Each structure stands twice: as C-alpha cells, then as structure tokens.
C-alpha cells in the first residue's frame, strides 16, 4: 500500500506537459501597376481636307490599385508620318470612351486642345475605344499615320 500511495503522490507532483501554439505569418506585397494590352490600331481615311476614323483603335487598360492611376490622352497636332507637306490643321478631335469594365460610365475629362484624362477609380480591366478626326492641309496621295501616345500615370 505504501508503494501505491507513493505512486499516486508522485503522479500528482509531476508537472503536466503543456501544449503550445504559435501563429506563423507570411508577408508579401503587390506593387501598384497599370498596364496596356490587346492594343489594336485604328484606321483613318483622308478625303479632301478631312481626316476621319474608319475603324476606332481599341485597347485594354488594367490597374490593381483604386484611385491611384489615370489614363492620359495627349493633344495631337501633327502626323507621325504623312506624304510631302501634308499636315494637321489645329488639334485633332479625339473621342475616347470606356466601353466595358469596372470604370464604364466614367468620362474622359478635358479637351482636344488640352488632352483628356480618365481617373481609374476602380481596379480591373477597362476596354477603351479611341477615334480621331480633323482637317488636313496640303493633302497628297500616300500613307498617313496618326500616333497618340496614351499613358497610364500615377496620380
């Protein structure tokens, strides 16, 4: 009986083993980004002194940081290339719109003389159409190229 009592006492006096838990964290960052994809060039026709879009340019702008980026469309006053002395009279008129995506319904703000800006309030991919028109001086036979260097900038 003494042995049994000794075993019981030893069992009660031995400290219990404690289980532990720990939170293991994994950290990472995603950089803010704004990219262009699915860029399709538009086509123009020059007839008399008029330049018009026959098929609009289309492109997709994707951003991952709300209210951080704007799409900027600059003023266009010259051809990237044109035959002879053909030139644009004044500023080209530009029509730019979001046709699908999280920012559909948001308008490009600005003017042909100052350029246009679209604030990307929502993240995701926006499909944009872009047309140009205007007047041309010294029209000659040949190829005409209008280039609009659209950018996505951090605001």
């Amino acid at each position: 009986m003494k042995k049994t009592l000794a075993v019981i006492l030893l069992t009660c006096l031995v400290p219990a083993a404690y289980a532990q838990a720990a939170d293991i964290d994994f950290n990472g960052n995603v950089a803010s980004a704004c990219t262009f994809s699915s860029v399709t060039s538009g086509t123009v026709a020059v007839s008399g002194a008029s330049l018009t879009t026959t098929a609009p340019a289309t492109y997709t702008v994707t951003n991952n940081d709300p209210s951080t980026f704007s799409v900027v469309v600059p003023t266009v006053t010259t051809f990237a290339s044109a035959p002879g002395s053909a030139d644009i009279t004044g500023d080209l008129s530009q029509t730019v719109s979001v046709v699908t995506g999280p920012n559909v319904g948001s308008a490009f703000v600005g003017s042909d003389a100052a350029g246009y800006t679209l604030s990307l309030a929502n993240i995701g991919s926006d499909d944009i159409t872009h047309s140009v028109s205007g007047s041309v001086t010294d029209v000659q036979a040949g190829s005409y190229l209008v280039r609009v260097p659209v950018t996505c900038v951090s605001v």
Side-chain angles (χ1 to χ4, degrees):
M1 176 118 166
K2 286 185 180 182
K3 286 186 182 181
T4 304
L5 186 56
V7 170
I8 291 173
L9 282 173
L10 283 175
T11 304
C12 292
L13 296 177
V14 174
Y18 292 101
Q20 291 186 345
D23 292 330
I24 309 301
D25 296 331
F26 293 86
N27 294 312
N29 292 309
V30 174
S32 293
C34 185
T35 59
F36 288 85
S37 62
S38 303
V39 177
T40 302
S41 297
T43 56
V44 294
V46 178
S47 178
S50 294
L51 176 136
T52 55
T53 296
T54 55
T58 59
Y59 43 94
T60 301
V61 177
T62 303
N63 84 92
N64 67 350
D65 202 348
S67 301
T68 299
F69 295 102
S70 289
V71 177
V72 177
V73 178
T75 301
V76 177
T77 58
T78 60
F79 288 112
S81 67
S85 60
D87 203 3
I88 294 170
T89 304
D91 304 319
L92 277 184
S93 295
Q94 299 185 71
T95 304
V96 192
S97 10
V98 179
V99 292
T100 61
N103 292 292
V104 71
S106 299
F108 279 83
V109 178
S111 67
D112 294 327
Y116 294 91
T117 301
L118 170 70
S119 293
L120 298 173
N122 304 302
I123 64 169
S125 296
D126 292 293
D127 296 321
I128 297 173
T129 62
H130 194 151
S131 298
V132 296
S133 62
S135 298
V136 181
T137 58
D138 297 327
V139 176
Q140 299 176 34
S143 294
Y144 290 78
L145 175 63
V146 174
R147 179 167 291 135
V148 184
V150 179
T151 57
C152 192
V153 298
S154 182
V155 291

